[in-house]
Amino acid sequence: MPKVRTTPLSRRGLLAAGGAVGLGAVLAACGDSDSKDSGSGSGSSAEKSGPWTFKDDRGQTAKAAKVPKNIVAFTGVAAALHDYGIEVKGVFGPTKTKDGKADVQAGDLDVSKVEILGNVWGEFNVEKYAALDPELLVTAMWEKDALWYVPDESKDKILKLAPSVALWAAQTTVPKAIQRHEDLAASLGADVKAAAVTDAKARFEKAAARLRAAAKSKPNIKVMIGSASQDLFYVSLAKMSADTLYFQELGVKFVEPKVNAAGFFEELSWENVDKYDADIIMMDNRSSALQPDALTSKPTWAQLPAVKAGQVIPRTTEPIYSYDKCAPILEDLAKAIEDAKKVS
């Protein structure tokens, strides 16, 4: 699990640590919620010369004399841009695992061909960033005006080097988040009418319809959203995250934990991990969280009905916001519900 280099642990740090905020929800209530009207790009695939502007989800407008080419982005955002045909020069955030393989958040990025400025929370090599002659910095935003994985202590230096764009990863739903990433890609020259994009969108819409039908056909199936650390198990409130809020809109029923004072998740000791009845458990798939195969030594975990029934599935806690990457997420949850037995 990445070490968060803030003392005491910051709220964004809790989210980055994975296990502490399974849903990525801790900051969903911060700031303005009007993300649907928070900006749009002025460029398109046909507009590749001349001034470039893009209004991001902070309400700030990034400007450049021409369409940026030397782009540096948070790994997950870079992966989404890649799916639209926009490549980046550098990335920051979880990119490689300890064995050198691509992190789950890297998607289809060729991680051997990008400059990695930092791989864990708190790391961002400003000198390497400057050497890339950056024309645009892009990242996610979990709380208003906070740039995901851009360290607060070096933020001012970083932001002086290039315009920046932040896109909501909270206070939104999956379709809205995809649209904003597509808006940005289009402004950078992507052909969002390309067959690969339109085919992926059709697949996404079909998957959404399948998930809605699955949830309707099995209204008694209840899903718990979990994230594991060595000492605690976190049960998160579905409405506080873009993916699970959207699943709720499609009819999926979730466990509703008795959240702590912050209002987003409940911490359970492993002795009390059976507090809630659930037929399916969705587990945080990030490399920062313990995965189910690492929990076999915990007897209370092994005795959970969903675990005994083999009804534990991964949860993509930080989705890559392209139709190509989000469609399988819907399909997998739909299949899990279709196949699920009532065990709680």
Side-chain angles (χ1 to χ4, degrees), residues 224 227 229-235 255 257-258 265-276:
M224 181 165 66
S227 186
S229 69
Q230 189 60 44
D231 299 321
L232 294 171
F233 184 80
Y234 301 85
V235 182
V255 167
K258 295 180 180 179
F265 62 92
E266 180 178 3
E267 307 99 325
L268 299 177
S269 67
W270 284 103
E271 290 76 13
N272 296 315
V273 74
D274 60 352
K275 180 175 179 178
Y276 296 106

Side-chain angles (χ1 to χ4, degrees), residues 82-127:
H82 171 84
D83 288 348
Y84 286 101
I86 303 298
E87 303 300 339
V88 304
K89 290 292 185 68
V91 296
F92 53 95
T95 306
K96 287 184 177 180
T97 57
K98 291 181 179 179
D99 59 5
K101 296 180 180 179
D103 188 275
V104 65
Q105 294 189 59
D108 291 334
L109 283 178
D110 185 341
V111 298
S112 69
K113 293 184 178 180
V114 291
E115 184 75 52
I116 300 173
L117 305 179
N119 199 60
V120 299
W121 183 261
E123 285 186 359
F124 192 113
N125 191 311
V126 181
E127 289 73 23

Side-chain angles (χ1 to χ4, degrees), residues 318-338:
E318 292 188 54
I320 294 168
Y321 286 116
S322 69
Y323 291 113
D324 182 72
K325 294 299 180 293
C326 288
I329 295 172
L330 300 181
E331 292 167 348
D332 290 347
L333 181 54
K335 185 177 189 305
I337 293 174
E338 291 165 353

